Amino acid sequence: DAGVIQSPRHEVTEMGQEVTLRCKPISGHDYLFWYRQTMMRGLELLIYFNNNVPIDDSGMPEDRFSAKMPNASFSTLKIQPSEPRDSAVYFCASRSMGGAPLHFGNGTRLTVT
Amino acid sequence: EDKVVQSPLSLVVHEGDTVTLNCSYEVTNFRSLLWYKQEKKAPTFLFMLTSSGIEKKSGRLSSILDKKELFSILNITATQTGDSAVYLCAVESAGGTSYGKLTFGQGTILTVHP
């Protein structure tokens, strides 16, 4: 299995631009999570899906952030408009049901100037 | 709101030392506690604990859970420079609308000097 695949690996953009992060979970996994990691705040859960349905988006910072999962093999996290404080590493992770461990992608390092 | 607190936040030791990392938690409906190791990229899975008092072991690493006192420890014996990493603790919720939710602690940065 190729594991969780995220793209792009790095993204540098200017304040005010739209940013779209992409994720392909492991085939057969029912849960998909989006996390953001910074030195100050650690790993923060932004949103997670079960069977493509958003379950908890209470961690999404504000209306500038949105996430979708149109099918079982693809999810996007969009930031519009982006701000410098959004700079972080964004991880996508997936898991199967039954309390199995979470598998992480390699992350997208976002820099907003 | 689920909460995970790890201590210490950072730790510097020499090769051969034994270290103990702590994780305390508050979760509405506990399902499991997980430990991860993060080097330069993505966190990698170490252990999943669901029952109190049963030690999980993998080589020089071991972990145990106390569901009464709401904490877990991760032990690393005979540390090596390759153990240098951030160690993350996470708890999984089993209840209601938060079923399957995983909340992470801040992590412990472990540095092992030769």
Side-chain angles (χ1 to χ4, degrees):
Chain A
D1 198 322
V4 177
I5 300 172
Q6 290 186 247
S7 64
R9 293 295 303 277
H10 302 274
E11 177 81 37
V12 181
T13 191
E14 292 184 347
M15 183 173 66
Q17 296 298 307
E18 177 179 297
V19 174
T20 299
L21 310 182
R22 295 172 176 80
C23 176
K24 176 179 167 53
I26 293 173
S27 177
H29 281 190
D30 298 304
Y31 285 87
L32 184 140
F33 295 74
W34 282 101
Y35 287 91
R36 176 172 70 176
Q37 187 174 41
T38 61
M39 286 294 292
M40 290 293 294
R41 301 173 71 92
L43 259 174
E44 300 175 276
L45 177 63
L46 300 176
I47 185 171
Y48 75 104
F49 296 83
N50 181 23
N51 292 321
N52 313 338
V53 176
I55 303 300
D56 186 339
D57 65 354
S58 59
M60 296 286 260
E62 50 199 87
D63 292 345
R64 298 184 298 107
F65 285 68
S66 62
K68 294 182 179 179
M69 192 165 185
N71 57 61
S73 59
F74 184 65
S75 177
T76 60
L77 178 68
K78 187 174 292 187
I79 308 172
Q80 165 64 18
S82 57
E83 296 182 4
R85 61 190 167 127
D86 300 331
S87 297
V89 179
Y90 290 80
F91 285 105
C92 176
S94 70
R95 67 186 305 193
S96 59
M97 290 183 67
L102 201 58
H103 296 265
F104 284 83
N106 282 327
T108 294
R109 182 174 294 277
L110 173 65
T111 303
V112 184
T113 60
Chain B
E1 182 180 330
D2 299 343
K3 189 175 178 182
V4 180
V5 177
Q6 294 186 243
S7 65
L9 291 180
S10 66
L11 191 54
V12 180
V13 299
H14 288 93
E15 273 193 318
D17 289 349
T18 293
V19 298
T20 298
L21 310 182
N22 303 294
C23 175
S24 63
Y25 63 89
E26 297 173 21
V27 62
T28 306
N29 287 289
F30 176 87
R31 177 172 184 153
S32 66
L33 184 144
L34 298 92
W35 284 98
Y36 283 82
K37 177 182 181 182
Q38 185 177 25
E39 296 176 88
K40 293 187 178 177
K41 293 185 178 177
T44 54
F45 172 73
L46 293 175
F47 298 113
M48 175 183 278
L49 302 148
T50 56
S51 302
S52 277
I54 298 175
E55 186 183 55
K56 291 281 184 90
K57 196 170 173 65
S58 176
R60 297 175 293 103
L61 277 67
S62 63
S63 183
I64 197 159
L65 174 67
D66 186 328
K67 290 168 70 174
K68 183 179 177 184
E69 300 298 330
L70 308 182
F71 79 91
S72 174
I73 60 172
L74 175 68
N75 280 320
I76 308 175
T77 59
T79 52
Q80 302 171 356
T81 55
D83 295 327
S84 295
V86 177
Y87 289 85
L88 296 161
C89 173
V91 290
E92 178 185 5
S93 173
T97 56
S98 295
Y99 184 87
K101 181 178 181 178
L102 274 157
T103 303
F104 280 82
Q106 276 280 76
T108 294
I109 302 171
L110 174 65
T111 304
V112 182
H113 288 309

